[in-house]
Amino acid sequence: MQYYFSKKLTNTTFEQALEKVAEVLKSKGFGILTEIDVQATMKKKLDEDLRPYKILGACNPSFAFKALQAENKIGTMLPCNVIVQVLEDGVVEVAAVDPMASMQAVENPGLESIAGEVQDQLKSAIEEL
C-alpha cells in the first residue's frame, strides 16, 4: 500500500504552492498547526544544502477529536503531514500522508471510518491543487 498521495504542480513557485496548499486544506476543514522548514533546519544543524522542503502539520479538529475519543494514543500520529518540496527538475511536488496506511499499525476498528473520512478529504485536497 502506498503511504501517501502526491501531485506535481507546474507553472508555480514554491511559495505559491505553499499558499495554495494552505488555501485548499482550509477549504477541506484543515488548518496548518506546524510548519517545519527542513531546508533551513538541515543548513543550521548539519551545514548541508537541501532543496526547498517544508513539512506542514495539517489538522481537521473535528476528525482529530473523533480519533482521540476512539484511541487516546492516536496523538502520536497527529497531525497529518503534508510536504511541499522542489524536485531536482524544479517542479514543485505536494504529498500528503495516507491516514489509512498509517492507521494499519493501530488495531482499533473504531478508527477505520475516521481514517477513511480523513483520507477522502486529504486525497481530494491533493487532487484539487
Side-chain angles (χ1 to χ4, degrees):
M1 171 183 263
Q2 191 167 339
Y3 62 93
Y4 63 91
F5 313 111
S6 67
K7 184 172 186 177
K8 293 180 180 176
L9 309 179
T10 56
N11 300 319
T12 191
T13 67
F14 182 70
E15 292 302 325
Q16 289 169 333
L18 285 167
E19 289 176 21
K20 181 68 174 173
V21 168
E23 176 185 304
V24 171
L25 286 171
K26 184 176 181 180
S27 76
K28 305 292 180 189
F30 291 85
I32 306 295
L33 298 179
T34 60
E35 183 174 312
I36 301 168
D37 186 337
V38 179
Q39 179 186 40
T41 300
M42 293 301 146
K43 187 65 176 174
K44 181 178 178 181
K45 299 290 185 182
L46 302 175
D47 197 27
E48 294 286 350
D49 293 320
L50 183 70
R51 66 196 177 281
Y53 191 117
K54 287 196 178 181
I55 302 171
L56 308 176
C59 180
N60 180 306
S62 63
F63 290 138
F65 183 76
K66 289 178 189 176
L68 288 164
Q69 296 302 305
E71 178 73 37
N72 69 2
K73 307 286 185 300
I74 203 64
T76 61
M77 296 185 167
L78 298 178
C80 296
N81 284 337
V82 177
I83 64 165
V84 180
Q85 66 175 321
V86 176
L87 301 176
E88 291 177 7
D89 60 3
V91 171
V92 177
E93 180 184 45
V94 179
V97 66
D98 180 347
M100 289 297 284
S102 59
M103 291 302 142
Q104 285 183 333
V106 182
E107 296 178 6
N108 182 331
L111 287 174
E112 191 171 331
S113 67
I114 299 164
E117 291 178 74
V118 176
Q119 178 189 51
D120 291 344
Q121 293 300 314
L122 284 176
K123 194 173 193 177
S124 174
I126 296 299
E127 290 169 357
E128 194 173 311
L129 292 170

